[in-house]
Amino acid sequence: MSPGPGESAPQQPPLFHDARDLTPFRKALIRTPVRGLAGGVGGLVSDVLAGRARGTLPVEGGVPRLGKVTGRPAGKASKAVHPAVFGSTDPDRLIGLAREFPGWAGLCYLMAGLLAYSHGGYLRASELLQRGLSVRNDDAANVFASEYLAGVLTRVAVAERIEVPVLFSEEAVFLALSHSLRETGQTEAALAALAGLPPSLPMALARCSLEAGLGRDAEVAADTDGLLNGDDLSAALLLVRARSLRRLGDYGAAREALQEVLRRRKTDFTLRSDALTDRALLLLDNGRKSLSPREWQRRKPAQLEAVRAIRKDAEMHELWDREYGRAADGDGG
């Protein structure tokens, strides 16, 4: 007999746990608020963009030569789709091939959607990706995808200022679709697009960010319970958790989440800075009564200076975001 719900039934793994040895994800990129700067991009760009025409899809390890993978002669569709995927900057070229080769339509629409997404065309990307997912491919198209598209990289924004390069896979398609839907104001649909994906930190961060935006803070708290700061993605997810807990009024648990972000010294500077500011705002929320004029008169000079420092740090961070954060967002970089 299987154990009942009140007995020692095995618990479901956390949302963020990924048990696979190999995943399609590469190192996360943390964008800074300062215009023109990004953390951790240099090595990736030099490795991926070498020999790549500007505006085409990036490929890890370089573009594979047609026919080199299996040694078999390429068919007419393969000869047409290969340069359209790896050498074109126009999604319309792939859309035309979808009409010319109906058995390849699903794959062509998906690649056109990823290309449009890489250019920031979120509305068109969402339409093309959804269309590609609704069309079944011929076996020849599936073989082509497995042989030639495994190295295609899509830089997907899974949360504010957090991008993850994802190799061609269902994660790449659905995470890009989810972000595109989010950018076009379809938040519920963006959340639904993530359903069924294998558990992973990028998926968890995207999902919890959407849940937080919808005001489902209790779900965020439950999904991230027990999370530790093992890398920058988990640190970013802990920040989402802390903000949800703060809105729920659970200041103690929110403080613990922020302390976990700060515990790991190698955590990205931008995330540590956000954690310090959030901790200051948390202290302000938690101590508003103690910050009344009557309480100030009873405080010792050292305590007053600490409170003033907290206030100043929070005000300076908000001023920074107004002056520079929005300008950086407007650049789209």
Side-chain angles (χ1 to χ4, degrees):
M1 290 180 61
S2 60
E7 301 175 23
S8 58
Q11 296 182 349
Q12 293 294 323
L15 173 70
F16 47 85
H17 179 69
D18 193 336
R20 293 173 292 180
D21 293 330
L22 298 174
T23 75
F25 305 110
R26 295 299 181 255
K27 185 178 180 181
L29 312 174
I30 315 297
R31 291 180 3 189
T32 70
V34 181
R35 188 180 308 173
L37 297 180
V41 178
L44 178 73
V45 170
S46 62
D47 292 340
V48 172
L49 303 189
R52 166 180 168 249
R54 186 177 181 87
T56 58
L57 289 171
V59 184
E60 187 177 67
V63 176
R65 292 183 181 180
L66 189 63
K68 185 177 181 180
V69 177
T70 61
R72 295 195 304 266
K76 183 179 179 181
S78 298
K79 290 180 180 179
V81 172
H82 186 277
V85 170
F86 296 110
S88 176
T89 62
D90 187 5
D92 287 336
R93 183 173 174 181
L94 284 160
I95 294 172
L97 291 175
R99 296 166 181 159
E100 184 177 351
F101 303 103
W104 291 61
L107 179 62
C108 289
Y109 283 127
L110 287 181
M111 301 314 295
L114 292 178
L115 185 58
Y117 176 81
S118 70
H119 296 165
Y122 299 119
L123 179 59
R124 195 178 193 197
S126 65
E127 294 171 348
L128 289 169
L129 291 173
Q130 290 181 90
R131 188 166 186 177
L133 290 168
S134 66
V135 180
R136 184 182 295 275
N137 294 307
D138 286 348
D139 290 342
N142 291 328
V143 171
F144 177 89
S146 64
E147 292 180 350
Y148 296 104
L149 302 183
V152 173
L153 271 172
T154 303
R155 271 178 53 170
V156 182
V158 294
E160 184 181 1
R161 295 185 295 170
I162 311 293
E163 295 181 348
V164 180
V166 191
L167 291 170
F168 183 69
S169 57
E170 63 175 344
E171 281 101 337
V173 172
F174 282 101
L175 284 170
L177 173 59
S178 178
H179 180 225
S180 298
L181 292 169
R182 180 177 186 173
E183 289 291 334
T184 55
Q186 304 175 69
T187 311
E188 288 285 0
L191 188 59
L194 300 176
L197 284 183
S200 66
L201 273 171
M203 190 275 287
L205 182 54
R207 176 174 173 173
C208 288
S209 296
L210 288 166
E211 288 176 341
L214 290 168
R216 301 175 185 175
D217 295 309
E219 294 182 25
V220 174
D223 288 340
T224 56
D225 186 32
L227 177 64
L228 297 177
N229 182 6
D231 55 23
D232 286 341
L233 281 177
S234 56
L237 187 51
L238 282 164
L239 284 172
V240 177
R241 170 178 172 81
R243 291 162 186 167
S244 288
L245 290 168
R246 177 185 164 200
R247 286 191 292 268
L248 291 171
D250 193 345
Y251 298 135
R255 184 171 58 253
E256 290 177 2
L258 294 174
Q259 286 298 112
E260 181 62 20
V261 175
L262 297 169
R263 176 188 59 80
R264 190 174 67 93
R265 293 176 179 265
K266 292 184 178 180
T267 299
D268 184 87
F269 173 81
T270 303
L271 300 177
R272 290 178 64 86
S273 178
D274 286 349
L276 288 170
T277 302
D278 283 6
R279 188 172 65 176
L281 295 172
L282 181 64
L283 290 172
L284 286 176
D285 282 353
N286 194 27
R288 287 188 185 279
K289 293 182 179 179
S290 63
L291 295 179
S292 65
R294 292 182 180 179
E295 288 294 328
W296 275 54
Q297 294 174 2
R298 302 172 188 171
R299 289 177 176 266
K300 297 179 182 179
Q303 293 176 316
L304 294 178
E305 290 302 320
V307 171
R308 291 191 182 100
I310 292 171
R311 279 185 176 276
K312 185 176 181 180
D313 181 74
E315 291 169 358
M316 290 300 294
H317 186 273
E318 292 177 1
L319 179 63
W320 175 273
D321 279 345
R322 286 199 300 272
E323 294 298 325
Y324 298 102
R326 294 181 182 178
D329 292 342
D331 291 343

